[in-house]
Amino acid sequence: MTSRKTLILLAAGGSAALLLGALYFQVFENLPPCKLCIWQRWPHGAALVIAAAALATRGPALPLAGAVSALTTGAVGLYHTGVEREWWDGPSTCTSSQSITDMSPARAADLIMNMAIQRCDEVLWSFLGLSMASWNALASLAFALLWVAAARRSR
């Protein structure tokens, strides 16, 4: 049987690996993150803080908070996947569903100049047909299961 500490370290290590991977792609592969990419990073950071606290204390509350954090980033990753696959619209600040054909040239230029650097509906990298957002959603579900198992070992 896997110990509570090991489960917490695996879940937190997974979040750390995903954060480092995202930073690697951003810095070394020159793939800028979009708004939804950034939103997916915050819960992983929170999971690291929760893990440090959970390792220093007992009880199921912090591992359950870790599971919520993992499920949050997974949900954002699933939402982002839907935006990328055009299942639904993303935030208006990072997608391009607005047509400029009926706009004045000045309005179109203003829209272009104030556009976010990276669009949320473009896939810059994929592996086995899944984008980074999709992989984040799947991995985060696994991390949530590790967190729940750690909470169960806390009782």
Side-chain angles (χ1 to χ4, degrees), residues 10-88:
L10 286 171
S15 283
L18 288 182
L19 276 174
L20 289 172
L23 291 172
Y24 168 82
F25 280 107
Q26 180 179 342
V27 174
F28 295 106
E29 299 296 328
N30 200 29
L31 299 178
C34 71
K35 181 184 228 175
L36 292 176
C37 294
I38 298 296
W39 289 359
Q40 290 171 80
R41 293 179 187 185
W42 285 102
H44 285 301
L48 296 176
V49 173
I50 292 167
L55 291 171
T57 62
R58 297 179 185 251
L62 287 170
L64 288 174
V68 169
S69 181
L71 290 172
T72 300
T73 188
V76 176
L78 181 61
Y79 172 69
H80 193 180
T81 296
V83 171
E84 292 170 337
R85 295 181 182 264
E86 299 179 0
W87 295 340
W88 45 72

Side-chain angles (χ1 to χ4, degrees), residues 4 36 44 56 66 76 92 96 99 109-110 120 130 133-134 141 148 152:
R4 175 185 188 270
L36 292 176
H44 285 301
V76 176
S92 61
S96 63
S99 172
D110 183 55
C120 296
L130 297 177
S134 300
L141 177 59
V148 169
R152 291 181 57 135

Side-chain angles (χ1 to χ4, degrees), residues 62-151:
L62 287 170
L64 288 174
V68 169
S69 181
L71 290 172
T72 300
T73 188
V76 176
L78 181 61
Y79 172 69
H80 193 180
T81 296
V83 171
E84 292 170 337
R85 295 181 182 264
E86 299 179 0
W87 295 340
W88 45 72
D89 290 333
S92 61
T93 57
C94 69
T95 57
S96 63
S97 59
Q98 185 173 8
S99 172
I100 62 170
T101 57
D102 295 330
M103 287 184 197
S104 71
R107 173 69 180 124
D110 183 55
L111 183 66
I112 290 167
M113 294 307 291
N114 292 312
M115 190 178 288
I117 293 173
Q118 180 56 43
R119 292 178 19 193
C120 296
D121 56 355
E122 286 184 345
V123 176
L124 296 182
W125 180 92
S126 67
F127 179 68
L128 299 176
L130 297 177
S131 69
M132 281 191 256
S134 300
W135 284 111
N136 177 63
L138 291 172
S140 296
L141 177 59
F143 303 157
L145 294 173
L146 291 170
W147 280 111
V148 169

